[in-house]
Amino acid sequence: MKIAVCEDEKIVAEELAEKIREFMKLTYFDFSIDIFLTGEDFRKSPEIYDLLFLDCRLPDANGLTIAKELRARDIDTAIIFVTAFPEYVYESFEVQPFRYMIKPIEETVLRKALIGFVRAYEKERHISIPTSRKNHIVNLQDIVYIESDGKYSNVCLKNNLSYKSMKSISDYNTEVEIDCHSFFRTHRCYLVNMKYIDEVQGNIIIFVNGEKAEISRRKVSEFHKRYTNYLKYFAK
């Protein structure tokens, strides 16, 4: 996940980036944060960002103009406007910002915005499930768990569908670690989506559909840490 902060006050930009960094560590996403102190520096960047914190008033540019340029190029970066001037709220509607935050930014407001973004980001993540007959494309959040089956795997979905995939569980583990923080490899044979956990009994996970998965002894402590964190910040 790529995040950018475009803010002309260096101290403000660095403090904001650090607060974002602290929160994003809780998601276990692979992420990066770039800081731009001018609109021109941001415009020169070849990167396409997933999330942009954008000051409405920069010394060399108008943040709304930069946002319009992104949309004109069909770039759907989620934009969070940051400003001390509330009057920009209504002007920003045409670029469909994700959020609008007034300086000084309260930590609770920032955290709520980031939680909202992570949830929205994950809803858009899809993954391919190649089977012997067809390549299925499914939303990551529709997967309840993935179970190893030799060099293949069984992918179990929320609608009680199940696909025997030509991919191994290790292949899926690598993919979902990048795109979805709610998955956890509890065992060499199981990759579970914490969204669908109903309860945990010892080293056994029981899903909302009644099916079960195992937690290996060496993963118990890490799992409970991750699951507690998930329930605290992201579970609805």
Side-chain angles (χ1 to χ4, degrees), residues 168-180:
S168 70
I169 195 170
S170 295
D171 292 333
Y172 283 113
N173 191 56
T174 300
E175 290 183 63
V176 302
E177 279 185 344
I178 296 173
D179 279 337
C180 194

Side-chain angles (χ1 to χ4, degrees), residues 82-123:
V82 180
T83 185
F85 305 97
E87 61 268 25
Y88 279 107
V89 172
Y90 301 105
E91 293 181 52
S92 70
F93 287 164
E94 66 178 285
V95 295
Q96 298 178 316
F98 184 75
R99 288 283 195 283
Y100 199 100
M101 296 196 296
I102 305 298
K103 296 179 182 178
I105 301 171
E106 295 181 13
E107 193 162 337
T108 54
V109 173
L110 175 61
R111 179 159 289 194
K112 285 180 180 178
L114 288 169
I115 289 172
F117 170 73
V118 168
R119 286 174 175 166
Y121 178 85
E122 290 190 328
K123 286 180 181 178

Side-chain angles (χ1 to χ4, degrees), residues 65-76:
T65 301
I66 292 175
K68 289 176 183 177
E69 291 170 357
L70 290 175
R71 298 301 186 240
R73 292 163 53 199
D74 290 326
I75 295 175
D76 61 356

Side-chain angles (χ1 to χ4, degrees), residues 18-206:
E18 182 56 32
K19 289 178 180 178
I20 296 167
R21 189 174 294 110
E22 288 175 4
F23 176 81
M24 290 305 299
K25 286 179 181 178
L26 299 175
T27 69
Y28 294 87
F29 272 117
D30 182 11
F31 71 94
S32 63
I33 303 175
D34 294 332
I35 294 176
F36 300 93
L37 301 180
T38 68
E40 189 59 30
D41 285 345
F42 177 76
R43 285 178 170 127
K44 289 178 181 177
S45 173
E47 297 286 355
I48 302 297
Y49 291 95
D50 298 297
L51 177 61
L52 168 63
F53 287 82
L54 180 59
D55 192 345
C56 287
R57 283 192 180 183
L58 297 163
D60 65 334
N62 182 303
L64 291 174
T65 301
I66 292 175
K68 289 176 183 177
E69 291 170 357
L70 290 175
R71 298 301 186 240
R73 292 163 53 199
D74 290 326
I75 295 175
D76 61 356
T77 296
I79 299 172
I80 296 179
F81 282 113
V82 180
T83 185
F85 305 97
E87 61 268 25
Y88 279 107
V89 172
Y90 301 105
E91 293 181 52
S92 70
F93 287 164
E94 66 178 285
V95 295
Q96 298 178 316
F98 184 75
R99 288 283 195 283
Y100 199 100
M101 296 196 296
I102 305 298
K103 296 179 182 178
I105 301 171
E106 295 181 13
E107 193 162 337
T108 54
V109 173
L110 175 61
R111 179 159 289 194
K112 285 180 180 178
L114 288 169
I115 289 172
F117 170 73
V118 168
R119 286 174 175 166
Y121 178 85
E122 290 190 328
K123 286 180 181 178
E124 300 301 317
R125 301 302 103 184
H126 292 78
I127 197 167
S128 67
I129 303 176
T131 66
S132 59
R133 295 184 177 182
K134 183 180 178 181
N135 186 44
H136 303 269
I137 305 297
V138 304
N139 190 296
L140 269 175
Q141 284 301 323
D142 288 344
I143 297 175
V144 177
Y145 68 93
I146 300 173
E147 182 180 13
S148 178
D149 185 3
K151 63 179 181 178
Y152 304 116
S153 57
N154 296 312
V155 181
C156 301
L157 306 180
K158 67 177 184 179
N159 54 5
N160 292 322
L161 280 178
S162 181
Y163 295 119
K164 185 176 181 65
S165 174
M166 309 302 285
K167 287 183 184 177
S168 70
I169 195 170
S170 295
D171 292 333
Y172 283 113
N173 191 56
T174 300
E175 290 183 63
V176 302
E177 279 185 344
I178 296 173
D179 279 337
C180 194
H181 81 289
S182 63
F183 280 84
F184 184 79
R185 183 82 175 267
T186 62
H187 188 278
R188 62 184 177 83
C189 292
Y190 292 101
L191 178 60
V192 309
N193 188 346
M194 294 182 284
K195 175 181 177 180
Y196 295 103
I197 293 177
D198 184 44
E199 61 177 308
V200 180
Q201 296 181 353
N203 70 329
I204 299 298
I205 290 170
I206 302 174

